[in-house]
Amino acid sequence: MPAKPKHRDRIVRTAARLFRRDGYAATGTNEIVAASGAPKGSLYHYFPRGKAEIAEAAVSYAGGLVSATLTELAAKHAHPADIVRAYGALLAGWLAKSGFRDGCPITTTLLELAPSERGVTKAGKAAFGTWVDVFTASLRAAGARKASAERLARTAIAAFEGAMILARVEQGPGPIEDVATEIARLFELSTQPQMSLI
Amino acid sequence: MPAKPKHRDRIVRTAARLFRRDGYAATGTNEIVAASGAPKGSLYHYFPRGKAEIAEAAVSYAGGLVSATLTELAAKHAHPADIVRAYGALLAGWLAKSGFRDGCPITTTLLELAPSERGVTKAGKAAFGTWVDVFTASLRAAGARKASAERLARTAIAAFEGAMILARVEQGPGPIEDVATEIARLFELSTQPQMSLI
DNA sequence: ATAATTATATAGACTGGTCTATATAAATCA
DNA sequence: TGATTTATATAGACCAGTCTATATAATTAT
């Protein structure tokens, strides 16, 4: 037995991956155990509240990954429109790599469990919140008006969420590319001094 | 025995409702039978390919409802920005009425089944396609450039899809309102003669 | 026109399997 | 030694789909 737990993280990461592909209800605990190499007993030891608790941890974990990615992009790009374009390119690449079988790592789970599972709902809200914050900060720094920065940021996150769904259904990157183009344009228009007055 | 079938439509409508709330995998055939009042035998009589075939029918049905709604809005409003605002208000109202427990009637099912279930995927693609067509036509009529009309339309559908997810997680209409505001603005800017040249 | 046959829709019990979670004991670690 | 982690058989609920049977309308044959 290891000095430090080695299975908990694996359970979470594996669950996030499996939930992303087929959703929460279609992914059984035995499948998570088999795919992660974790013992069945450990699963309920670490997550005594059961499967929903695993979902909560998976949403937090996956949401944090996206947040880190967005933060990294924000550090590289001064303008929010450039972040949008870069993020769009990343998303298109990820989905293409999965053969357009994956989507946003937290969406399917949230659609199945929110708002009835409180913990999962809260984890999802926090995840989306941090993503919106990254864009809001960048938009503010680029000159967007305070009243519209958060609205714009939320629109961008929502648009990318929807674009990933469309991309999966259409089995191609088109929707993500379209959203990236139009949201980047909207951001540019919203951060120009004269347009900001509209 | 009735000369004419009475259960098939009920099965489809009920399935669409139940899938929308908790998703496909978490909704059992027995639950659909109980909620629709249809006999179990009838369920497999009408859908010999099984549960996925029901999902396919449910997606087609629900997608058609949204399509009819959008077409109605397009007939009432000349400008696409007004359609966006009206649709946003409708969505916010529907979700509020469900206590923010519902979302888009086809999204959860699609996220669980696309692209592995071909029929469902195809039905979803068709549904999204008709929704995009409504906005594209309106944008074109309002003066948007051909090259961007479909891109804008797709962005709008994607943004509303994402907004419904955020609204459900946040338990409030904020994201839908934000998206409606910003996409309407984007549409206005994209249908003005001088802005269309950007 | 009548009887026989076919087709359709309904009804619900049943099947073999999977699900989540628990209990309890054993193994390992510090 | 006590705390932590693992192992695994089992319980009870639920799963999607199958099966047998019936009622009745429509079709076909005589």
Side-chain angles (χ1 to χ4, degrees):
Chain A
M1 292 302 125
K4 93 179 211 182
K6 69 178 180 186
H7 290 295
R8 192 187 188 284
D9 282 355
R10 273 210 209 137
I11 288 169
V12 174
R13 273 187 272 121
T14 300
R17 175 164 63 81
L18 296 176
F19 292 160
R20 176 183 195 168
R21 179 63 55 91
D22 295 323
Y24 171 86
T27 302
T29 51
N30 286 336
E31 195 182 346
I32 296 169
V33 161
S36 65
K40 188 72 180 282
S42 291
L43 188 139
Y44 287 98
H45 171 77
Y46 291 124
F47 303 97
R49 284 191 286 116
K51 194 179 174 184
E53 191 179 353
I54 299 173
E56 187 181 326
V59 167
S60 291
Y61 161 76
L65 286 190
V66 176
S67 186
T69 299
L70 285 173
T71 301
E72 211 176 286
L73 291 182
K76 279 188 197 164
H77 300 92
H79 202 273
D82 294 328
I83 301 176
V84 165
R85 278 185 276 262
Y87 187 51
L90 268 190
L91 288 185
W94 287 337
L95 290 215
K97 194 169 163 189
S98 80
F100 295 96
R101 282 174 295 179
D102 283 342
C104 170
I106 65 174
T107 298
T108 310
T109 305
L110 287 171
L111 281 174
E112 291 176 81
L113 300 178
S116 51
E117 288 292 341
R118 297 274 181 75
V120 179
T121 305
K122 192 174 164 188
K125 188 175 174 182
F128 285 135
T130 62
W131 306 353
V132 166
D133 287 347
V134 174
F135 278 115
T136 302
S138 180
L139 283 157
R140 293 285 287 134
R145 299 170 61 197
K146 178 167 180 167
S148 59
E150 188 170 339
R151 201 164 61 220
L152 286 161
R154 254 166 145 187
T155 299
I157 296 300
F160 275 124
E161 286 298 299
M164 282 187 271
I165 296 163
L166 292 189
R168 186 160 161 181
V169 170
E170 293 182 21
Q171 290 288 288
I176 297 170
E177 290 164 351
D178 287 353
V179 158
T181 300
E182 292 302 328
I183 297 297
R185 192 158 73 91
L186 180 64
F187 277 13
E188 279 163 351
L189 296 173
S190 304
T191 50
Q192 285 170 10
Q194 59 275 25
M195 297 309 301
S196 284
L197 292 175
I198 295 180
Chain B
M1 294 299 119
K4 87 183 225 187
K6 68 180 184 187
H7 289 293
R8 193 187 188 281
D9 281 356
R10 273 207 208 138
I11 289 168
V12 174
R13 273 187 273 120
T14 300
R17 174 165 61 82
L18 297 176
F19 292 160
R20 176 185 196 167
R21 178 65 54 90
D22 293 326
Y24 172 86
T27 302
T29 50
N30 286 336
E31 195 181 346
I32 295 169
V33 162
S36 64
K40 191 73 177 281
S42 291
L43 187 140
Y44 287 95
H45 171 78
Y46 290 122
F47 304 98
R49 284 192 286 116
K51 195 178 173 187
E53 192 179 351
I54 299 172
E56 187 180 324
V59 166
S60 291
Y61 162 74
L65 285 189
V66 175
S67 186
T69 298
L70 285 173
T71 301
E72 213 176 286
L73 290 182
K76 280 185 191 165
H77 301 91
H79 201 274
D82 294 326
I83 301 175
V84 164
R85 279 187 275 262
Y87 186 53
L90 268 190
L91 288 184
W94 287 339
L95 290 215
K97 194 171 163 188
S98 79
F100 295 96
R101 281 173 296 178
D102 285 340
C104 170
I106 66 174
T107 298
T108 310
T109 306
L110 288 170
L111 281 173
E112 291 177 80
L113 300 177
S116 51
E117 288 293 338
R118 297 273 182 75
V120 179
T121 305
K122 192 174 164 191
K125 187 175 174 183
F128 285 135
T130 61
W131 306 352
V132 167
D133 287 346
V134 173
F135 278 116
T136 303
S138 180
L139 283 157
R140 293 284 287 134
R145 296 171 64 197
K146 177 167 183 169
S148 60
E150 187 170 342
R151 202 167 56 220
L152 285 161
R154 252 165 147 187
T155 299
I157 296 299
F160 275 124
E161 286 300 297
M164 280 187 272
I165 294 163
L166 294 189
R168 186 160 162 179
V169 170
E170 293 182 21
Q171 290 288 289
I176 297 171
E177 291 164 354
D178 287 352
V179 158
T181 300
E182 293 302 327
I183 298 297
R185 191 159 74 93
L186 179 65
F187 277 11
E188 279 163 354
L189 296 173
S190 303
T191 50
Q192 285 170 11
Q194 59 273 26
M195 296 307 303
S196 284
L197 291 176
I198 296 181

